[in-house]
């Protein structure tokens, strides 16, 4: 069914957009702690799991240092 397929495509696009937004927010918060190591940046950018991104976003918001974030991620 074409309608069901389009709904699925829209939901997938929405989820990708949410993941992209969370990724940007995480990196922005981390940049306030200092330079984000390349391997951490790549790991965050390569992740599309919304639950993991939500966890990292909360962690980035409460971390007092890049080291703390990396250790707890």
């Amino acid at each position: 069914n074409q309608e069901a397929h389009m709904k699925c495509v829209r939901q997938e696009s929405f989820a990708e957009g949410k993941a992209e937004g969370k990724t940007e927010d995480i990196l922005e918060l981390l940049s306030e702690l200092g330079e984000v190591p390349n391997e951490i940046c790549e790991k965050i950018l390569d992740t599309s799991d919304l639950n993991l991104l939500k966890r990292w976003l909360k962690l980035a918001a409460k971390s007092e240092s890049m080291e703390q974030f990396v250790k707890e991620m």
Side-chain angles (χ1 to χ4, degrees):
N1 171 324
Q2 182 69 19
E3 187 177 319
H5 173 73
M6 290 305 295
K7 183 177 180 182
C8 183
V9 168
R10 281 192 304 272
Q11 287 175 337
E12 186 175 304
S13 295
F14 180 74
E16 287 173 4
K18 284 187 76 160
E20 215 171 274
K22 290 202 184 315
T23 297
E24 291 172 7
D25 292 343
I26 293 166
L27 293 173
E28 185 173 333
L29 285 170
L30 290 178
S31 70
E32 293 179 15
L33 299 176
E35 187 174 335
V36 181
N38 285 338
E39 63 272 9
I40 299 303
C41 184
E42 289 174 15
K43 184 173 184 172
I44 292 167
L45 290 171
D46 288 343
T47 302
S48 59
D49 179 338
L50 279 177
N51 288 327
L52 183 55
L53 290 170
K54 285 179 191 177
R55 189 171 79 74
W56 287 347
L57 180 60
K58 290 176 185 175
L59 179 59
K62 70 177 186 174
S63 291
E64 295 182 13
S65 68
M66 187 66 64
E67 293 77 20
Q68 180 185 358
F69 178 83
V70 171
K71 182 180 176 185
E72 294 184 24
M73 79 183 290

